[in-house]
Amino acid sequence: MSRLLAIAIKEMRQVRRDRMTLAMMIAIPLMQLLLFGYAINTDVRHIPTVVLDHDRSAASRDLVARMRATGFYDIVGAVRDYAEVTRAIRGGDAHVGLVIPPRFSADIARGVGSTAQIIVDGSDPLIVSNALSTAVAIAEVRSTELRVARLGRAGRDAVRVDPDILYNPELRSAVFIVPGLIGVLLTMTMVMFTSMAIARERERGTLEALIVSPIRSVELMVGKIVPYIVIGYVQMTVILVVGALVFDVPIRGSITLLYLLSFIFIAANLALGLVFSTFSKTQQQAMQLTFFFLLPNILLSGFMFPFDGMPRLAQWLGLALPLTHFLRIVRGITLAGASTGELIGQLVWLTSILGAFILLASLRFRKKLG
Amino acid sequence: MPVIDAQHLSRRFGDLVAVRDVSMQVEHGEIFGVLGANGAGKSTTLRMLVGIVTPTSGSATVVGHDVVADPEAVKRRIGYMTQRFSLYDDLTVFENLEFYAGLYGVPRARKRARLAEVLELRGLDPRRRQLTGTLSGGWKQRLALACATIHEPPLLFLDEPTAGVDPVSRRSFWESIHDLSAQGTTIVVTTHYMDEAERCHRLAFIFRGSVLDTGTPQEVVDRRGLSIVEVHVGERTHDAARVLRADPRVDEVAPFGPRLRVATLDEDAETVTREVLGGVDGPGGLGIAVTDVRHVAPDVEDAFIAMVHEDARLHDEGAPPEPRA
C-alpha cells in the first residue's frame, strides 16, 4: 500500500508540474465540446435555393413563400433557365433549385394539377433527404388545402402517422452529441495519458529502477492510473456542466449512477492504455497508437453514425469497443433517465471488456527487462 | 556464506551470447568491482543478479535468495543505482527521495528521520527543494546514491555510477562508497574506468561475456607476470615500436608522449627492450639507443590489456589488439 501510494503521489506531482498537460486536460474537453456542440448539426436548415419561375403568378409566388416559411430553404436568387440552375448548384451557390412550370397557376385553377420540379444537389445525402421530404410535405399540404377549398369540406386521410418523439423531441443534435462526447474524450485522454505515463518511464530510464524495486506489478499499474481516474472524472464533470449550461443537455437519470458506471468505462480505458504502453518504447509511439485506436471508436461506436445502420461486421467490431456500450449508458441515463436494471446488458458487456483488458495488461506487463 | 554466489550464469539474447558461464562470489562488506569494456556483459550480469533479467542457464543466490525462484525477495533487500540514475527530473530532490522511501516501504515512523539523515549525509539538504533536472551530473549522482540507499540495504549494486561525472565528484563518490562499505554494506560496482577498479577490494574482469580473472587488484596484476618500462628511443619511435611488437615476448607497446611504454610477459622489460633495439649484433637489431629507462609498476589497466591479449591468443589468433581504454 505504501508503494502504491508512493507511485500515485509521484504521478500526481508530475502531472501538477506539467502545466501543459494539465491545461490540455481541461482545454481539450472544453474545445471539443464547443466544436462538436456547435459545428456538428445534423438538423439541416437554411439550404440555399434558387428559383426558376416560368409562371410568375400569384400561385407560384405563394409556393415559393411557403417553402421559405419552413426555414429549410433560403431563397438566394431567381434564375432564368435550367443552365443557370445547374451553374448555381455546381458553383456551390445553391444546393436546391425549384422549377415552376409555365401554366402552373392556370393548371391548378383548372383542377388538373401541376408539377413543380425540385433539383437537389446529391453530394450530401443529408441535404437530399431533408430537402425532398420537406418539399413533398409542402406540396401535400397545399394539395389538401386546394382539394378542401374545391370540395368545401375537410376530407380524412386514409392513413396517418402520429409521431411521438421521446427524450429529444426538438431533435437537437447537441443533446445527442454532448453526452456521447464524454465517452469519446474519456477514451482519448485516458488511453493516451496512461500509455504515455509508462512509456515516459521507459524513455527516461526510470522504469528499470521501478522494475528492480520490490513493487508489485499490480501496485505499479493501479498507482499509475489512480491520478488519471481523478482527471477523468474532472473532465466528465466539465462536459456535463458546460453541456447543461451552454447546450441545455438534460440529465434525466441519476447522476450518482452515471458516475458509478463511468468508473468501469474509465478503468477499461486505463487498462487498455497500459496494454498500449507495453507495445510502445517512446511517448510518441504511445500517442500514435492512441489515435489509431480513437478513429474506429468515433466511427463504429454509434457516436456519429447510427449503430443500427452499420453493416454486420462493423457492428461486431463496434461491440468490442468499450465506448459503444458506454454511449448507450450515458445517453440512456442523461436523455432517457434509464435505471441500472435497464442498462444491465451494457453493464455486462463493459465489465467483460474491462476484465479482458486487465487480463491482457497483466499478461503483457512483466517486471522483467529481457 | 557469501552475499552473492553466482554459478555458471549465462544469458543469450537471440543469437547473441551476452554473458557466458559467469561464476563469482562476493563476501560480506566488500567492494566488488566488475570491470570490462562497454558491451562486455557487465550490465546483463548485474541485471541477472538483481532478478530483472532471467538467466538462460546457471543459478545465483543473492542475500540468501535464489534470483530465479524468488526475485522479489532479492529486490526487497538490495539497492540498485542504474546507469542513467533513474531520477525524475520534474520532481524536487526531496520528492525523489520520498518516492524511493515509499517504493521500498521505509516505515512511516522511520521515514522522516531517515530522509533528514540521508539529505544531511549526502550534503543535499540545501538543495532539497531544487528540481532534479536542474542539478549537475555530480549532484544527480549523489541523489541517486541517496535514493538507492534510502532503505539501508545490506547489498548495493552500482551500474556505471560515475559515467558522465566530473573527477572531483567521482573522488567524493568513491569516498562515500568506502564509508558505506566500512559500515558493513556489500557493494557491487561495474565500471570501465581502470583507476576506479583499483579502489575495489576485489575485481572480476569481464570480456565478451566471460570472466577472465577474479581477485584483488594486486593478485590480478601479479598473475599476469608483467614487466613494464618506459624508455626514450630518440627519433625513430615508429620503427622501434614496429620491431618490438614483432617480438613474441613483448605483450604491448604504446607511445607515451615522446617515450615508448613496453610491457613484456614473464621477462624483464628492460632486458628485452635493450636486446631487441640494442646493438647491431642483436637479432633484428636496429642499433637504436635506448636511454632514460624507467621501470613502471603494472596497474590494473595493464593487467586488463594483457588478459585480453591472452584471451585472444587462446581463442582466435587473428583478433586485433585492443586499444588502451
Side-chain angles (χ1 to χ4, degrees), chain B residues 150-285:
Chain B
I150 189 80
H151 56 301
E152 303 168 85
L155 173 60
L156 181 61
F157 288 93
L158 308 167
D159 193 3
E160 304 264 350
T162 54
V165 170
D166 65 276
V168 178
S169 300
R170 267 171 71 184
R171 189 152 294 198
S172 87
F173 181 78
W174 273 95
E175 268 167 40
S176 307
I177 298 299
H178 275 276
D179 288 345
L180 282 166
S181 154
Q183 288 154 23
T185 307
T186 309
I187 293 154
V188 176
V189 53
T190 67
T191 182
H192 60 263
Y193 292 115
M194 301 295 161
D195 59 319
E196 290 189 345
E198 315 244 1
R199 296 167 181 264
C200 298
H201 297 138
R202 284 200 309 134
L203 297 169
F205 282 79
I206 293 198
F207 181 68
R208 293 197 201 159
S210 305
V211 173
L212 296 185
D213 197 9
T214 310
T216 66
Q218 195 57 52
E219 284 167 4
V220 169
V221 172
D222 289 348
R223 269 202 281 273
R224 305 283 83 74
L226 281 168
S227 168
I228 297 174
V229 281
E230 285 179 18
V231 296
H232 207 276
V233 292
E235 298 296 303
R236 301 172 65 189
T237 327
H238 190 74
D239 289 332
R242 186 170 44 80
V243 288
L244 281 168
R245 281 202 185 99
D247 193 285
R249 292 166 297 176
V250 175
D251 189 60
E252 237 240 332
V253 181
F256 235 66
R259 304 156 68 78
L260 271 185
R261 185 181 164 106
V262 183
T264 54
L265 292 170
D266 306 320
E267 274 185 66
D268 181 57
E270 184 176 354
T271 318
V272 173
T273 309
R274 286 194 186 282
E275 197 183 309
V276 174
L277 300 180
V280 279
D281 307 330

Side-chain angles (χ1 to χ4, degrees), chain A residues 13-14 17 201 208 369, chain B residues 52 80 88 90 95 98:
Chain A
R13 281 174 167 159
Q14 287 185 304
R17 218 152 267 156
E201 303 257 5
E208 189 178 355
L369 275 183
Chain B
I52 58 175
Y80 181 50
Y88 295 94
D90 46 359
E95 286 167 347
E98 202 183 25

